[in-house]
């Protein structure tokens, strides 16, 4: 099929991702496959591969491609993991996770965003390994816990305690933390203990 966005997507993958140090081939492959233009309003499709975040309605945004790739790479996925994502938004990060993990459980506060993401991912793009919940992300999704990976795409001031309980032993959680200046923090759970490592400065919408 003739895909007018394929060239832009390949260029984004090389120039914005590989050139800046994203090296995990599975992540690069996923970023080169997921049609980012489908996750934004029609009028924004021409800008879908610019090097920045884009609005997705309801005051929310889809992250810059580099940040999506960076976070996915820092999750160190083998392809076998169950991942809990907080903040479905457009569903773009969920699609990248669906390509790189085994199952994705994604929780969103705004029902319209959750339904829109589901219609696109399941109905149009055919992903069968993504599960959707409308609710408060701070509470996670106990029914399907534990998760080998947890990723927050909205920023709380502190990592929500229930989510640590839902993280599998040996698992990794990634979250932007802070109110003003935020840092992306990576947690590892080892023998029940949590180690934290600060990665980079980021700007996410707040977890509310
Ligand atoms: N991952 C998304 C971008 C997320 S933007 C993407 O790839 O498009 C952050 C999202 O977190 C928004 O959709 C917002 O509604 C949601 N959110 C904010 N607070 C939340 C909460 N407490 N629980 C669940 N979702 C929340």
């Amino acid at each position: 099929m003739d895909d007018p966005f394929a060239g832009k997507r390949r260029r984004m993958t090389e120039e914005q991702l590989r050139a800046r140090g994203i090296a995990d081939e599975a992540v690069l492959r996923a970023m080169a496959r997921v049609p980012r233009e489908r996750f934004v309003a029609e009028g924004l499709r021409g800008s879908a591969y610019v090097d920045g975040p884009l609005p997705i309605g309801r005051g929310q945004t889809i992250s810059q491609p580099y940040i999506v790739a960076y976070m996915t790479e820092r999750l160190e996925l083998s392809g076998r993991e169950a991942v809990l994502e907080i903040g479905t938004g457009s569903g773009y990060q969920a699609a990248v996770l669906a390509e790189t993990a085994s199952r994705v459980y994604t929780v969103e506060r705004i029902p319209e965003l959750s339904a829109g993401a589901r219609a696109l991912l399941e109905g149009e793009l055919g992903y069968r390994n993504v599960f959707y919940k409308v609710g408060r992300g701070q509470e996670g999704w106990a029914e399907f816990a534990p998760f080998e990976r947890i990723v927050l795409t909205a920023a709380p001031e502190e990592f929500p305690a229930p989510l640590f309980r839902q993280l599998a032993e040996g698992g990794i959680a990634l979250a932007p933390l802070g109110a003003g200046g935020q840092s992306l923090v990576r947690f590892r759970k080892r023998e029940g203990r949590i180690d934290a490592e600060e990665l980079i400065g980021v700007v996410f919408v707040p977890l509310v």
Side-chain angles (χ1 to χ4, degrees):
M1 203 184 74
D2 193 31
D3 177 358
F5 289 98
K8 285 188 173 193
R9 195 149 56 233
R10 251 194 321 274
R11 212 169 318 124
M12 174 275 283
T13 305
E14 293 306 316
E15 294 170 7
Q16 298 177 32
L17 307 182
R18 201 189 293 275
R20 287 193 194 132
I22 304 296
D24 184 326
E25 291 296 336
V27 174
L28 290 165
R29 223 167 21 243
M31 295 296 294
R33 273 175 63 93
V34 177
R36 185 168 163 95
E37 72 280 0
R38 303 284 292 275
F39 294 80
V40 299
E42 239 172 290
L44 284 175
R45 286 191 178 170
S47 311
Y49 293 94
V50 300
D51 191 11
L54 290 170
I56 56 172
R58 306 294 303 260
Q60 307 301 322
T61 56
I62 174 175
S63 300
Q64 178 190 19
Y66 174 73
I67 291 294
V68 173
Y70 179 87
M71 289 176 69
T72 308
E73 188 172 65
R74 288 303 168 278
L75 287 173
E76 298 179 3
L77 296 163
S78 72
R80 291 186 295 272
E81 297 83 3
V83 184
L84 174 68
E85 180 197 28
I86 305 303
T88 310
S90 69
Y92 180 70
Q93 172 78 74
V96 172
L97 291 169
E99 296 272 353
T100 50
S102 168
R103 294 180 314 286
V104 183
Y105 298 86
T106 185
V107 182
E108 169 60 51
R109 178 179 73 91
I110 302 175
E112 295 81 355
L113 289 179
S114 180
R118 182 171 190 166
L120 176 58
L121 291 181
E122 198 173 280
E124 296 181 39
L125 300 176
Y127 289 104
R128 292 281 175 272
N129 58 339
V130 183
F131 306 92
Y132 310 82
K133 180 182 168 172
V134 174
R136 288 188 78 241
Q138 291 86 334
E139 286 156 24
W141 199 342
E143 193 184 344
F144 294 104
F147 304 97
E148 282 82 36
R149 302 289 185 267
I150 297 180
V151 58
L152 275 64
T153 63
E157 293 193 22
E158 280 176 36
F159 195 87
L163 299 185
F164 278 140
R165 290 196 286 276
Q166 293 177 22
L167 182 62
E169 173 60 32
I172 296 175
L174 203 56
L177 297 184
Q182 301 163 3
S183 311
L184 189 64
V185 180
R186 177 161 66 174
F187 300 93
R188 284 177 199 270
K189 190 171 187 175
R190 292 193 187 105
E191 290 159 23
R193 260 195 42 205
I194 306 282
D195 293 329
E197 168 196 6
E198 217 173 290
L199 300 176
I200 54 172
V202 287
V203 182
F204 278 83
V205 301
L207 188 80
V208 293

